[in-house]
Amino acid sequence: MNEHLETPLPPRRPDRSHPVRRGRARLAWAAVAVLAAGGVINPQPAALADTGATASANEPMNGPMSGYAADDGRDARLARFDRQPITWHSCRRNRNDDIGKTLDAAGARCAEVTVPVDYSAPDGRTTTVAISRRKASDRARRLGTLMINTGGPSESLSGVTWVLQGLPPFAVGSPQLAKRYDLVGMDPRFMGRNPPLACGWPTGLAEKAAFVGLDRASFDRSVALTRKLAARCAGQKDLLPHVSTRNIARDLDVIRAVLGERKVSYLGWSYGGYLGGVYLQMFPDRVDRMLLDSPPDPDTYGADGARDNAPALAAEQRNWAAWAARHDDRYHLGATTAQVLASMDVIRRVADRGRPVRIGRHRADLNLVRRLALGTDAEWTYARWSDMMRLLYDAARGVKVTPTPAQEEVLAILSSTEVNTEAAASAASRCADRASSSRDPEVYYRDIQAHRAGEPFFGPPNRNVTPCTFWPAEPAEPPTTIRNGRPVLIVGASGDPGTPYAGQLVMHRALTGSRMLTLRGAYRHGVTFFEGNPCVDRVANRYLLTGVLPGTDITCSRVSPYPGASGSGETPTKD
C-alpha cells in the first residue's frame, strides 16, 4: 500500500472510526479504533422487482445512464431503486457509537438505501448504503440538498456534523450552509456502516507491507506481504470490480432520486473531490453547485496514484522542520532546519536497516515514520508531531523511551492484528478505479532504486507495490475521463502533502468552467471550513449560497503561516 497515515485529523473512537488511509486517512493521536460495521449483501431484494440494465465504459455527458427516474426520462429498468421507501431512524446504534450520538444530537436521522451491486445487472445482487440527513433549519429559504463526502474513501455520515458545527480543533464548519441546505452524508459502498468486504486485513500487516529498506531482501518481504493482502480478498472476487468510484457515484444518484431531488449540490474533500468530479461527468444535469476541496489528479487516481507524491511530502517535512528548529528549546531536534532534517535522517537510516527498536512495550519498525503524514500545518499539530519525532529519534539512538498515552495509541494501531475491513474496501475502490501500471514487482523495484537518492525518505513506500499489483480482479470499467465545462469551485493548498497541488490543477484544467481558490503557503490537506481561513470560507459560502462563481481564480494568503490558538488572518489576491 502506498498511502500515508495523516495525523492528526478528526479523531474517531469506537465503534465507527476511520482506518489507516491516504487522502483523508485518519489516525488520531487520542483514541482511535479500526472497527467496521457488519452486515450482509442481500442475494435478492425482497421489495424490488427484477430489471435489467447496461452501462457503457465511460458514459457520455447525457448518456443512457446519466439518470434513471421514470418521471424525467431516466432508465425505467432502474426506476425501482428510485421509488423504494426510505425509513429514517436514530443514527446511534449502541452506547459506543460516538458518530451516531453526535448525529442524533445535531438533529440528524439515518437510513439505508438499497442499490445494485452491479449496475449493468440490476436484477442481480444488491447491497445497502447508509445515509444521514439533517434538514435545513431555515425551511422558508431552503436551497435544496447538499451531499457531503469527507474523503478516504471511507465513512462519510459524519460529514453532516462537519458542516453543521465543525469538529474542533480540526474543522470549523459552516452553520450558514446548515441553515439553507438539507445536509446528507453517505458511507460509500462496503465501507462505514455498510455490509463489508470480508478480506480479513489485520491493520499491522497492511502497514508493514509498505516498508522497503535498502536491501533487496526487504523489498522481497514487502512483495510477499502485499501478495498476501491481495490474496485475502480473493474470496470477494465477484464484488471487487464493483467498488469503483463510478458505482459510488451511481449510488449517490440513487440517493438523490430517493430523496426526491431533481438536482443536488455537492461538497467533497480529498477523495470526495474525485468522487464529485466523476459524479459531475456521469450526471451533469443532476448537479446544482459543486465544491471540490483538495481533489487528487483525476488522470492518475487509482492503484499507483501516490507514486509521485514524495516531493510534496518532503516539502511538508521541511516546513515542519523549520518550525521545530524555532522551538528547539522544547524538542531538541536541532536549532536549524538542516539540523532537524539530520535528526530525521538518523531515524531513516535505522529504518533502512530494518532493525526494530524498543518503544515502551512495542518493538517498532521505524519505517512507520514514512507512513505518517501531518496533513495540516497548524501550530498544535506541529507540536504533537515534534513530540512524536523526538520519541522516535531517541529510540533510534538506543535511548530508553516511554510513549505518552496518545503516542501509545498510534503504536498500538500500527501493530494491531485486529481486522480492518474498511482499509480493504478503500484499497478495493482504488483497484477498481484504475489498474496497476504493472503487475511485475521488478518494475516497482527499479523505480524505487532510480529515485532513492532524490527521494530517500518518502520515495520507497510511495513507489512500492500495492495490493492492486496482485489484485485478484480487474476493473469492470475504464477510468472516468473527467472533461467538461460545468461551473465548479475547486479549493486547495499550495503545499498539500496528500493530494499535491499540481494534481489539483489538473482537475481545474479538466473542468474548464471551474474556478481555482488557492490557499498560498499552506501545507495542509483539506482547506474549506477546516482552519477557519476567512478568505477561503467567505468565497466558499458565497458560492454555495448564491450559486455565483468568482469571476476569476483567487489566491488567499495567510498572515500567520501556522494557524493555531492565536488564529490567523488572510487577504485575498486575484491571480
Side-chain angles (χ1 to χ4, degrees):
M1 298 171 65
N2 60 352
E3 305 99 43
H4 283 70
L5 308 176
E6 291 174 4
T7 71
L9 285 174
R12 303 297 179 198
R13 295 161 52 189
D15 62 23
R16 287 279 4 113
S17 70
H18 284 96
V20 290
R21 57 194 169 97
R22 176 40 113 195
R24 300 299 299 163
R26 296 178 177 90
L27 180 60
W29 293 98
V32 182
V34 284
L35 305 177
V40 296
I41 294 182
N42 305 316
Q44 272 290 99
L48 304 178
D50 292 345
T51 65
T54 59
S56 65
N58 194 41
E59 290 136 4
M61 293 287 287
N62 292 289
M65 286 190 66
S66 63
Y68 31 82
D71 61 346
D72 58 4
R74 292 180 296 160
D75 193 332
R77 295 172 297 176
L78 293 171
R80 64 192 180 99
F81 293 97
D82 301 347
R83 300 191 188 106
Q84 64 184 287
I86 187 167
T87 302
W88 297 101
H89 54 73
S90 169
C91 295
R92 190 176 187 182
R93 299 173 303 166
N94 56 57
R95 62 185 300 178
N96 295 321
D97 182 3
D98 288 338
I99 287 181
K101 178 181 178 181
T102 303
L103 284 166
D104 282 352
R109 302 286 284 171
C110 289
E112 293 73 41
V113 175
T114 300
V115 295
V117 168
D118 180 357
Y119 275 84
S120 69
D123 54 332
R125 302 174 75 182
T126 65
T127 187
T128 58
V129 291
I131 63 172
S132 58
R133 180 179 69 174
R134 188 219 184 241
K135 291 186 176 181
S137 55
D138 188 347
R139 304 303 293 174
R141 298 195 301 156
R142 176 183 178 273
L143 291 171
T145 290
L146 179 68
M147 288 187 165
I148 305 162
N149 184 279
T150 58
S154 189
E155 181 276 332
S156 280
L157 295 187
S158 57
V160 168
T161 52
W162 282 29
V163 173
L164 171 66
Q165 60 199 32
L167 191 60
F170 304 97
V172 299
S174 177
Q176 298 176 58
L177 297 182
K179 289 181 181 179
R180 305 290 302 279
Y181 281 101
D182 290 356
L183 305 177
V184 174
M186 180 193 82
D187 283 350
R189 51 175 50 204
F190 308 116
M191 304 176 205
R193 300 188 176 202
N194 300 328
L197 287 176
C199 291
W201 282 13
T203 298
L205 177 61
E207 294 313 310
K208 189 176 181 181
F211 300 157
V212 182
L214 292 174
D215 62 334
R216 176 57 192 249
S218 70
F219 176 77
D220 291 340
R221 285 192 296 271
S222 175
V223 168
L225 290 173
T226 306
R227 284 186 189 273
K228 185 179 296 185
L229 286 173
R232 285 175 177 244
C233 289
Q236 305 293 306
K237 188 175 181 179
D238 58 334
L239 298 177
L240 298 179
H242 307 300
V243 197
S244 67
T245 298
R246 290 179 64 80
N247 279 335
I248 294 171
R250 291 173 179 129
D251 295 343
L252 280 176
D253 205 57
V254 169
I255 292 167
R256 175 198 59 75
V258 169
L259 294 176
E261 300 282 12
R262 298 184 69 85
K263 290 188 175 185
V264 292
S265 293
Y266 180 90
L267 169 60
W269 291 274
S270 190
Y271 166 80
Y274 178 67
L275 171 61
V278 171
Y279 183 81
L280 181 66
Q281 188 69 32
M282 295 175 67
F283 305 100
D285 297 329
R286 306 299 180 208
V287 176
D288 184 6
R289 302 159 195 182
M290 177 170 282
L291 191 156
L292 310 180
D293 188 295
S294 310
D297 185 334
D299 293 342
T300 62
Y301 178 82
D304 300 319
R307 185 174 61 188
D308 295 319
N309 283 14
L313 290 163
E316 175 195 42
Q317 186 183 65
R318 286 192 299 273
N319 192 64
W320 160 77
W323 182 93
R326 291 194 293 274
H327 297 81
D328 188 50
D329 58 331
R330 174 176 176 181
Y331 304 109
H332 308 295
L333 290 166
T336 66
T337 300
Q339 289 173 356
V340 174
L341 292 175
S343 296
M344 296 300 290
D345 214 43
V346 170
I347 299 173
R348 179 189 64 79
R349 288 196 297 269
V350 173
D352 281 345
R353 292 196 293 269
R355 292 208 307 253
V357 299
R358 176 65 63 180
I359 304 178
R361 66 183 180 89
H362 301 276
R363 285 186 58 79
D365 186 333
L366 288 182
N367 274 293
L368 69 89
V369 75
R370 289 172 156 137
R371 298 280 291 152
L372 297 170
L374 286 158
T376 176
D377 54 4
E379 187 96 14
W380 64 272
T381 309
Y382 275 12
R384 292 190 180 188
W385 180 257
S386 299
D387 283 332
M388 174 63 89
M389 292 306 103
R390 180 70 212 192
L391 179 81
L392 299 183
Y393 175 65
D394 287 342
R397 295 182 300 126
V399 177
K400 184 177 180 179
V401 295
T402 302
T404 66
Q407 292 165 347
E408 171 68 24
E409 291 283 353
V410 175
L411 296 167
I413 285 285
L414 294 172
S415 61
S416 174
T417 59
E418 187 172 7
V419 169
N420 186 348
T421 58
E422 197 156 294
S426 185
S429 181
R430 291 187 295 276
C431 300
D433 279 347
R434 193 183 306 267
S436 289
S437 56
S438 175
R439 286 186 170 268
D440 181 1
E442 293 302 317
V443 172
Y444 294 86
Y445 184 71
R446 290 193 297 269
D447 192 37
I448 291 171
Q449 296 302 99
H451 292 85
R452 189 180 287 277
E455 302 172 354
F457 211 97
F458 298 109
N462 279 275
R463 295 183 179 278
N464 197 12
V465 295
T466 75
C468 299
T469 312
F470 313 109
W471 207 238
E474 294 293 330
E477 304 175 83
T480 303
T481 299
I482 297 176
R483 299 287 188 276
N484 66 74
R486 298 294 174 125
V488 177
L489 181 61
I490 303 175
V491 182
S494 61
D496 191 326
T499 53
Y501 186 66
Q504 297 173 25
L505 292 178
V506 174
M507 180 71 84
H508 178 34
R509 290 191 293 269
L511 297 173
T512 57
S514 67
R515 296 289 183 267
M516 186 78 203
L517 173 57
T518 302
L519 182 58
R520 183 170 56 197
Y523 294 83
R524 62 169 304 123
H525 185 57
V527 177
T528 310
F529 309 137
F530 265 74
E531 69 170 41
N533 183 295
C535 173
V536 171
D537 292 354
R538 183 168 53 249
V539 174
N541 275 316
R542 183 188 302 128
Y543 166 61
L544 289 173
L545 291 172
T546 68
V548 179
L549 276 175
T552 184
D553 293 345
I554 293 178
T555 297
C556 293
S557 300
R558 287 172 164 172
V559 171
S560 168
Y562 302 106
S566 60
S568 62
E570 298 75 20
T571 57
T573 61
K574 295 291 182 67
D575 282 342

